[in-house]
Amino acid sequence: MDINKEIKTIKTLYENQLLKGELDFWLKYGLDYENGGIYTAIDRDGALLEIDKSVWFQGRALWVFATAYEKYGKKEYFDAAKIILDFIEKYCFDKTDGRMYFRVTKDGKPVIKRIRYIFSETFAIIGFAKFATISNDNSYKEKAFELLQFVDKIRNTEGILIPKFNRPTKGFGEPMILLNVLSELRVSYKEKESWINNYIDELINQIEHSFVKDDLKLVLEQSDANGDFDEEHFEGRLLNPGHAIEGAWFIMNEGLYRNNEHYISLGLKMLDWMYEIGWDKEYGGIIQYRDALNKSLCDYHQDMKFWWPQCEAAIATLMAYKITKDESYFEKFITINNYIQDNFIDNEYGEWFGYFHRDNTLATPLKGNMYKGPFHIPRMYFKCLELL
Amino acid sequence: MDINKEIKTIKTLYENQLLKGELDFWLKYGLDYENGGIYTAIDRDGALLEIDKSVWFQGRALWVFATAYEKYGKKEYFDAAKIILDFIEKYCFDKTDGRMYFRVTKDGKPVIKRIRYIFSETFAIIGFAKFATISNDNSYKEKAFELLQFVDKIRNTEGILIPKFNRPTKGFGEPMILLNVLSELRVSYKEKESWINNYIDELINQIEHSFVKDDLKLVLEQSDANGDFDEEHFEGRLLNPGHAIEGAWFIMNEGLYRNNEHYISLGLKMLDWMYEIGWDKEYGGIIQYRDALNKSLCDYHQDMKFWWPQCEAAIATLMAYKITKDESYFEKFITINNYIQDNFIDNEYGEWFGYFHRDNTLATPLKGNMYKGPFHIPRMYFKCLELL
């Protein structure tokens, strides 16, 4: 394989797909110039399927358009970021307790508030932090930092986050997403660098000890209260390869930034294990779930192919190649890229399809809902273009 | 088609599948003779996949084994019912508020309590009511009735059931399941017949006015606060054909019992509409979801084939044939039966598979989890054997 030639071709392809397929699609069909904010429940052809707005995606899309402005300097990206930012500040917080909603009406009335999770808040933090960078408005790095402290308070005060299970468990998602939040915040808030580095060390330590299991050669999605493998329950055996691979590149990325060999080898190990078990050798693609002991899975969508695990695997393999210069990682990246190009790209209307059956037939043609919108895909393009 | 010959063949087949494939499977692999109650998270071959127990299925399995005892008089069915009953009374209620849990450990410690729903309670009611019939222990019809009154209190007291949505909506599931609960309770509690009939009339009236839409020729799964079609939201357009067909036969059944022509024609209309939109003309089977306006669906498992909609469609079409003598209903019943026999039955280990992709390839081979266990399938056999 002529790696340099491949890199050149894919760079051109990704830049074009990012600007035309992604950002233009969401500017045209998602942005709500009337009420502010962004819609994400969009059909294949751009038609609106649902008039409520996802609060996760207000924060995520703010981050995306702010990052796009940082990289390409186009005014319309800045304006989009500002429209979303204003909507978040005006409508997405519950003024009575400071928590954020999960879903609001098009004009910002609350529809759903989730009591178990802090993800609406974490995505607003990365949005605020990136907006601080592009606007030079330091109040937003302060707001991001205050929101992070509020999230910490929520996480550490008993009785606020009501857990689903009476039996105490630990979830991989929370430290993994916080790790990304902190590394985003660090870019805009240099003064807090050493505090943030310590916090990140603590999170990676949690991940390494509670979820990365050398005896199983697996990254768990949930462990018991002691951080041990809980093999008697569906949730304890559940593997989410896309999630684990996302965490793997967050940790490699931290290793690169901090020049920390241990983090780099930890991230590589996580990627190797979870690519091995997550890649579908028959039909291609990173599969949604596996069982740690290869027992029958409980979730009926376990063998589907979603868009975002493919994004995370593309970033992680390319990063691993950049770190190790091991061509087998580059080959994996090319395999994933080909799988994406063959299945997910909609050349007619722009934006990727999101949901395929295991055999790569389309399950539903919509481009977005409350869980799919502008985030993983543009982030993949941003990160891969940096790495290429 | 020689209908009488078909009826004879299927009667023999169903009785055999009910006793050997169903009841024996759950007696052997599900019943917990050590701790009491029943496990439902069982793999294809009977292996236990998850040691927690579903509270829904304690009530449902109690109903199943009590009904089996009523019909076949085998002592082991009575004993199974008693083991489950004792587990429910001892462990499945939260003593602090009288509500029931959703999931408990094998020895009855609480794991999950759901705050939005009353389904654990409704399934315990039908179990208690049927146990009263087989045991002649009138205290259980009293307990069933008291639990029903408690459910009513919960439903009608603001602030107890915390709705998921801030925007007020109505769900088809609640009146539909209560209708079934009341008709089960009536069998054991003859003295309350006229009170129960009035309550059922009110529930059917709610269903007819809020969910059965003549202009759309559809049964909605969720309507807005006024009982109108809410076309701007995913949930408002969502159709659940299996659920609607289940409600259709509950209403036909009530029409037969009460000799009420209006209920019979209402149930037939619901069946006709929802079979038409729910049957997959390409691959067979009742599909999981449709969109009322044929827009792209949000749920990625929307085109799967689950076991229970096939059960409900078999009962409803056979009942419609018995009522109308219209052979096209019998032909539909045969089509559904053939679809079930070709795909769902596991002749090697017993019990049905539960989860197929749209093209009838198997999605996961397990026989049960927190949502699949002994209920829809044995109920289908019981009801179809009665009707045949």
Side-chain angles (χ1 to χ4, degrees), chain B residues 86-298:
Chain B
D86 292 344
F87 189 85
I88 293 173
E89 294 202 85
K90 205 159 170 188
Y91 301 118
C92 296
F93 288 88
D94 181 346
K95 304 282 189 287
T96 66
D97 64 2
R99 298 283 304 276
M100 294 184 79
Y101 299 113
F102 176 71
R103 185 167 157 174
V104 295
T105 61
K106 63 180 179 179
D107 50 356
K109 294 186 190 71
V111 176
I112 300 178
K113 185 175 167 187
R114 293 166 107 199
I115 51 177
R116 306 188 199 288
Y117 306 101
I118 47 141
F119 298 124
S120 290
E121 289 83 358
T122 58
F123 298 129
I125 296 171
I126 63 172
F128 286 171
K130 186 59 80 179
F131 189 79
T133 309
I134 63 162
S135 66
N136 288 316
D137 181 342
N138 280 331
S139 73
Y140 285 99
K141 72 181 192 188
E142 293 292 345
K143 283 181 185 171
F145 187 71
E146 278 163 25
L147 194 50
L148 175 69
Q149 288 181 303
F150 180 63
V151 163
D152 274 341
K153 194 183 126 196
I154 293 169
R155 289 176 72 218
N156 298 319
T157 309
E158 214 167 319
I160 299 187
L161 293 178
I162 298 157
K164 185 170 174 186
F165 290 86
N166 258 37
R167 175 194 304 126
T169 56
K170 293 183 179 185
F172 175 73
E174 209 173 272
M176 189 269 271
I177 286 183
L178 278 173
L179 166 54
N180 179 245
V181 166
L182 285 157
S183 79
E184 286 291 329
L185 184 61
R186 186 169 54 194
V187 178
S188 66
Y189 216 150
K190 288 282 172 209
E191 307 90 301
K192 301 272 180 200
E193 171 124 12
S194 98
W195 184 88
I196 289 175
N197 289 352
N198 287 339
Y199 196 158
I200 286 179
D201 290 339
E202 188 197 303
L203 292 167
I204 297 180
N205 189 50
Q206 280 174 31
I207 290 173
E208 188 169 8
H209 290 96
S210 293
F211 306 103
V212 180
K213 298 294 170 193
D214 282 302
D215 50 341
L216 299 165
K217 294 193 185 303
L218 292 173
V219 181
L220 303 176
E221 187 68 13
Q222 185 176 295
S223 62
D224 71 13
N226 301 318
D228 292 328
F229 177 44
D230 175 15
E231 65 176 300
E232 290 184 311
H233 299 289
F234 282 124
E235 296 82 2
R237 292 197 307 271
L238 184 77
L239 304 177
N240 185 331
H243 224 200
I245 290 170
E246 184 177 2
W249 79 253
F250 289 170
I251 292 174
M252 279 189 263
N253 202 45
E254 189 63 22
L256 284 173
Y257 182 80
R258 305 269 293 279
N259 202 11
N260 180 318
E261 280 298 327
H262 177 66
Y263 288 170
I264 286 174
S265 62
L266 175 63
L268 285 169
K269 181 168 80 174
M270 291 167 69
L271 168 62
D272 291 343
W273 292 346
M274 298 309 283
Y275 184 91
E276 177 60 29
I277 200 165
W279 183 260
D280 181 350
K281 291 173 184 74
E282 194 173 345
Y283 293 104
I286 299 289
I287 208 163
Q288 189 62 9
Y289 297 138
R290 298 281 197 198
D291 182 281
L293 301 180
N294 206 22
K295 295 189 178 185
S296 298
L297 281 130
C298 176

